[in-house]
């Protein structure tokens, strides 16, 4: 349902309008600017690297989509800014609403403070199950508080592990100017503290859990998506109908030593159906090299959300 202008707070309207102009007008225009694009992209990144989102005036807790969301008020966060403006990853929320049913099971890889975990928990109901993977201890404290505040303790289980291709130990790099950008891969963007974390693969985790049925997986691991997928072939084989939604950002993948074009090829090989782009204009992702290269370029301006349906593990029988 479309909100009337009179019912949208001024702060929310400004935030949505600015994002729409930036991502639907300015960035597409600059991407068609030929030789000027690399210069414009460099300037755009410089502006982002120096920008710390203001948390001034934001309520705590937030009330978003009927959920109560506590967060650390002294830590800057683009995620919290987007949630406060009711403009955070709306295509993913719509995918959850269209896909999840009572009794289903969900993995939220990179759960942050729990917005998507709680949306999923509400959709799957008391008979369903959500596992929320969050290795950042500060985010995890807010996540656990929000699960309790929203009465979802019966169906959301927090997993304090970083998901990669195999189990072990690692370091998580917190980003000082954004709680949603913690990463296992070094970044120059406002690097903050380093935190020792324990890692797992989804296959190792699922085997320890007795191979539960999984209906949907959401992953946002700041460049680690390739490692997550490499460690889940057994889980995919046992759940051929699983729906996966993941973030695609070329720069983040490259920090993880992952070639973005090769990664897209792996995603296309991973589905017997279609790889879909959620972000406007959404739709099936073409297999043509030129179209894939354009997707990589677009992701350098802003992260994209991709969806895999009818997944299968290449080279592994589904029987």
């Amino acid at each position: 349902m479309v909100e009337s202008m009179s019912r949208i707070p001024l702060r929310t309207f400004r935030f949505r309008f600015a994002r729409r102009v930036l991502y639907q007008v300015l960035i597409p225009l600059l991407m068609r600017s030929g030789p000027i694009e690399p210069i414009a992209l460099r300037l755009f990144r410089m502006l982002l690297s120096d920008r710390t989102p203001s948390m001034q005036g934001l309520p705590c807790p937030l009330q978003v989509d009927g959920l109560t969301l506590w967060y650390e008020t002294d830590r800057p966060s683009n995620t919290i800014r987007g949630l406060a403006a009711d403009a955070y990853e709306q295509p993913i929320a719509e995918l959850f609403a269209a896909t999840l049913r009572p009794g289903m099971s969900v993995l939220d890889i990179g759960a942050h403070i729990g917005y998507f975990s709680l949306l999923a928990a509400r959709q799957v109901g008391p008979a369903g199950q959500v596992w929320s993977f969050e290795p950042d201890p500060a985010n995890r404290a807010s996540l656990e508080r929000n699960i309790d505040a929203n009465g979802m303790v019966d169906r959301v289980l927090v997993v304090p592990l970083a998901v990669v291709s195999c189990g072990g130990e690692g370091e998580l790099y917190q980003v000082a100017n954004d709680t949603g950008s913690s990463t296992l891969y070094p970044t120059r963007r406002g690097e903050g503290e380093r935190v020792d974390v324990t890692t797992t693969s989804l296959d190792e985790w699922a085997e320890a859990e007795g191979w539960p049925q999984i209906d949907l997986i959401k992953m946002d691991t700041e460049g680690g998506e390739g490692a997550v997928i490499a460690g889940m072939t057994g889980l995919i084989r046992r759940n051929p109908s699983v729906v996966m939604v993941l973030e695609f950002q070329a720069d983040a993948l490259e920090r993880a030593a992952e070639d973005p074009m090769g990664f897209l090829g792996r995603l296309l090989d991973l589905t017997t159906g279609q790889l879909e782009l959620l972000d406007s204009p959404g739709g099936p992702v073409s297999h043509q090299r030129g179209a894939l290269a354009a997707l990589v370029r677009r992701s350098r301006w802003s992260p994209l959300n991709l969806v895999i349906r009818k997944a299968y593990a290449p080279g592994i029988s589904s029987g």
Side-chain angles (χ1 to χ4, degrees):
M1 182 171 64
V2 178
E3 297 171 278
S4 67
M5 286 289 295
S6 61
R7 295 177 59 188
I8 302 177
L10 182 58
R11 180 180 62 234
T12 299
F13 172 75
R14 286 176 175 170
F15 186 91
R16 291 182 182 179
F17 180 76
R19 284 181 60 87
R20 184 168 298 176
V21 170
L22 178 61
Y23 294 110
Q24 296 185 17
V25 179
L26 291 181
I27 288 178
L29 183 64
L30 291 170
M31 284 186 63
R32 294 193 295 268
S33 62
I36 298 176
E37 183 185 355
I39 299 172
L41 180 57
R42 194 174 304 118
L43 292 173
F44 180 68
R45 288 176 175 170
M46 288 174 60
L47 290 172
L48 283 184
S49 65
D50 295 333
R51 178 179 173 272
T52 298
S54 172
M55 308 301 286
Q56 185 176 0
L58 298 185
C60 187
L62 298 175
Q63 301 296 326
V64 183
D65 294 331
L67 300 171
T68 298
L69 298 175
W70 292 92
Y71 63 94
E72 290 188 287
T73 56
D74 58 347
R75 296 183 72 203
S77 176
N78 284 308
T79 299
I80 300 303
R81 290 291 306 176
L83 286 168
D86 197 22
Y88 179 69
E89 301 288 16
Q90 291 170 319
I92 297 180
E94 292 168 2
L95 176 74
F96 275 33
T99 304
L100 295 176
R101 297 290 180 268
M104 286 186 168
S105 295
V106 177
L107 303 184
D108 187 359
I109 315 299
H112 194 239
I113 68 167
Y115 171 63
F116 284 120
S117 290
L118 294 170
L119 281 185
R122 189 164 63 190
Q123 290 287 116
V124 302
Q129 181 69 61
V130 178
W131 285 274
S132 300
F133 291 76
E134 180 49 62
D136 186 317
N139 289 339
R140 194 166 62 246
S142 296
L143 168 65
E144 291 170 343
R145 183 177 187 180
N146 290 331
I147 292 169
D148 183 62
N150 289 276
M152 301 293 187
V153 176
D154 63 330
R155 69 196 81 166
V156 183
L157 183 63
V158 175
V159 185
L161 303 174
V163 181
V164 289
S165 60
C166 60
E169 303 296 326
E171 278 190 325
L172 185 74
Y173 297 79
Q174 294 180 326
V175 176
N177 61 356
D178 188 9
T179 62
S181 296
S182 298
T183 176
L184 294 170
Y185 310 98
T187 173
R188 299 178 199 168
R189 187 184 158 210
E191 186 175 312
E193 296 182 9
R194 300 183 185 187
V195 179
D196 292 331
V197 295
T198 301
T199 64
T200 187
S201 72
L202 286 183
D203 280 351
E204 291 169 341
W205 169 84
E207 183 177 19
E209 291 287 328
W211 295 106
Q213 178 181 327
I214 303 298
D215 299 289
L216 185 145
I217 301 172
K218 175 235 123 188
M219 64 180 84
D220 181 356
T221 56
E222 299 298 316
E225 290 77 15
V228 175
I229 289 171
M232 60 184 294
T233 53
L235 189 67
I236 293 173
R237 175 170 63 85
R238 289 167 173 81
N239 296 274
S241 298
V242 67
V243 175
M244 292 189 283
V245 55
L246 56 96
E247 184 176 85
F248 174 69
Q249 186 176 25
D251 290 356
L253 289 167
E254 288 168 346
R255 285 196 298 271
E258 186 88 42
D259 172 54
M261 287 288 286
F263 178 72
L264 286 176
R266 287 172 60 196
L267 294 185
L268 289 167
D269 289 341
L270 196 64
T271 175
T272 58
Q274 291 179 327
L275 178 64
E276 302 170 28
L277 175 65
L278 274 186
D279 306 89
S280 180
V285 173
S286 170
H287 289 236
Q288 295 183 352
R289 184 171 181 81
L292 297 180
L295 203 63
V296 170
R297 282 175 48 223
R298 181 177 168 185
S299 78
R300 295 192 189 281
W301 289 90
S302 177
L304 302 175
N305 294 302
L306 301 176
V307 178
I308 296 172
R309 304 177 196 270
K310 300 180 182 178
Y312 79 106
I316 300 178
S317 169
S318 61

